[in-house]
Every structure is written in structure tokens, then in C-alpha cells.
Amino acid sequence: EPEVTQTPSHQVTQMGQEVILRCVPISNHLYFYWYRQILGQKVEFLVSFYNNEISEKSEIFDDQFSVERPDGSNFTLKIRSTKLEDSAMYFCASSPRDRGGETQYFGPGTRLLVL
Amino acid sequence: GDSVTQMEGPVTLSEEAFLTINCTYTATGYPSLFWYVQYPGEGLQLLLKATKADDKGSNKGFEATYRKETTSFHLEKGSVQVSDSAVYFCALSDRNGGSYIPTFGRGTSLIVHP
């Protein structure tokens, strides 16, 4: 069964450094998402991406964040200058064209630790 | 805005016990409802969903019924196993502009003892 994959599984970085989190969505899916989950808290929506542009973003997704789909398979989340509070699990998700991306399939996540 | 409220955990049960995890929601529209499961060290997996009132979603012995009158989507399983130990997230998904943006509950940890 096709899966969403994410790399790396864990990343440790120094505050102020840039990180890029990578995701390979399921190949025929059209909608792509990033979420984060701070330890012990709920899963929070960051951004959705459709037709090569951001379709929705939350208040969390400020100018420090950006997303890209540089080729036909990868979907990346960049954090330009990491802060301690960016430490979280980051999940990528993708969705087929059922009712506009209603059912989402999640990757295993990247655990980011900012020191 | 939309919100999801789940019962606080952890829920601790013995193997073969009956499970209920309560979930209620608030939504302005007519959302679809979901349960996701997160096993230790893994990502979220869709467990089941229901897209309209009175629908029952079911998978792997789990089931939940979309109750519009009580705005609830409680998760049940008749006989839990140790392998069901995980965190369970209730979520709703409603169209926000052009796409569906899910709202998650805080998650309920389930611990099943042999």
C-alpha cells in the first residue's frame, strides 16, 4: 500500500539555523499538508498546498516558514531561523481528490529538536 | 470556530475489556468526523471516518457513529488487545475556503495490560 514518507526521522539543530524537512507524498495525491505536534499537545495545522501554491495557512505559519514542491515528488518545509519553540514533531500529509482533500494520509513524522 | 473535545487519558484497561473513548465536537458547518491512531514512535494513521449523520465508521474492530443530535463521535471496541495501546485522536474536517482543514482533539492515551 502506498505511504507518505518523511526524512529525516530525527533532526537536532542549533537555534537560528535553517532546517529543511522533506516529504514524499503518495504519488497520485493532489493536496499536501504540514502539521506539527509539540510534545504532549494536540496536532496543529500549519499549511496546505494545492496546484503548486499555498491554499491555506495557520497563524503559526509565519514568515519563518516556507513550503516548496521542487519536483514532481518531494514536498518540503523550510524553517529559516529556528527557535527553541519550533521543537516538535512535524507531520506531512497528502490527500487524493476526494471532496477536495478531505481524507488525509500522514507520514511518520520528523522529530525536530532545537537547542 | 470548530473544536473537538476528547476525554482525558490515560485510559487503562485489561485485555478483552470494552473500550469507549468519548469525543464531542463543535462545528459551524456539516463536518466529516475521523478517528486517528498514533502508535508509539509512529505517525498518525486514519482509523475510521464518517461523513454524515448516523453514519458508522468501522475498522479493526473499532467503530464510531456520527451523532448529530448529540454532536458526538465516540470510539468503541468490544474487546481490546495489548496491541491497541496507542494515542487516539478524534478530528473533524470542514471545508475552509478551498480545502479541508482538520481540527484535532488533544488525544487520548490507551494502555492495555495483559
Side-chain angles (χ1 to χ4, degrees):
Chain A
E1 188 174 329
E3 303 181 323
V4 177
T5 59
Q6 290 185 243
T7 54
S9 58
H10 294 79
Q11 176 138 12
V12 180
T13 190
Q14 296 292 322
M15 191 170 57
Q17 295 297 303
E18 175 184 284
V19 295
I20 297 176
L21 310 183
R22 290 183 167 79
C23 168
V24 179
I26 295 173
S27 64
N28 62 347
H29 284 188
L30 300 177
Y31 298 84
F32 313 109
Y33 308 83
W34 283 102
Y35 298 84
R36 78 172 186 192
Q37 184 184 27
I38 295 171
L39 187 64
Q41 299 188 24
K42 64 170 67 178
V43 176
E44 300 173 293
F45 167 76
L46 292 178
V47 65
S48 62
F49 193 87
Y50 171 70
N51 202 25
N52 286 319
E53 62 183 18
I54 290 173
S55 51
E56 306 286 345
K57 61 181 181 179
S58 72
E59 293 175 352
I60 303 167
F61 194 86
D62 61 21
D63 292 344
Q64 294 298 314
F65 292 89
S66 62
V67 289
E68 229 182 7
R69 189 158 160 81
D71 53 42
S73 60
N74 289 288
F75 180 51
T76 62
L77 174 70
K78 182 192 290 186
I79 309 175
R80 283 191 189 78
S81 177
T82 50
K83 303 186 284 287
L84 296 176
E85 54 265 38
D86 293 328
S87 296
M89 181 75 93
Y90 288 82
F91 293 107
C92 172
S94 69
S95 183
R97 197 182 171 78
D98 67 327
R99 297 181 64 197
E102 181 188 51
T103 302
Q104 300 183 17
Y105 299 84
F106 284 76
T110 294
R111 186 172 296 282
L112 175 66
L113 178 60
V114 182
L115 301 175
Chain B
D2 295 349
S3 67
V4 174
T5 303
Q6 290 180 237
M7 61 189 290
E8 296 238 358
V11 173
T12 305
L13 295 172
S14 297
E15 207 164 23
E16 299 182 4
F18 184 86
L19 168 72
T20 301
I21 299 178
N22 290 338
C23 171
T24 57
Y25 68 90
T26 304
T28 52
Y30 297 94
S32 295
L33 302 175
F34 303 82
W35 277 100
Y36 285 87
V37 58
Q38 185 179 30
Y39 296 104
E42 298 184 16
L44 295 167
Q45 298 177 28
L46 178 63
L47 181 60
L48 54 85
K49 71 174 187 178
T51 57
K52 61 183 187 299
D54 300 325
D55 266 4
K56 178 187 283 189
S58 61
N59 186 24
K60 298 181 183 179
F62 292 90
E63 56 183 36
T65 302
Y66 190 144
R67 300 283 188 208
K68 193 166 184 292
E69 64 277 13
T70 54
T71 61
S72 64
F73 193 55
H74 304 322
L75 181 69
E76 296 181 335
K77 187 175 185 182
S79 175
V80 293
Q81 305 300 312
V82 172
S83 56
D84 293 327
S85 298
V87 181
Y88 292 81
F89 291 89
C90 185
L92 69 82
S93 186
D94 206 350
R95 188 178 282 275
N96 181 359
S99 55
Y100 284 90
I101 305 301
T103 299
F104 289 88
R106 289 191 170 274
T108 302
S109 176
L110 171 64
I111 302 168
V112 181
H113 293 295

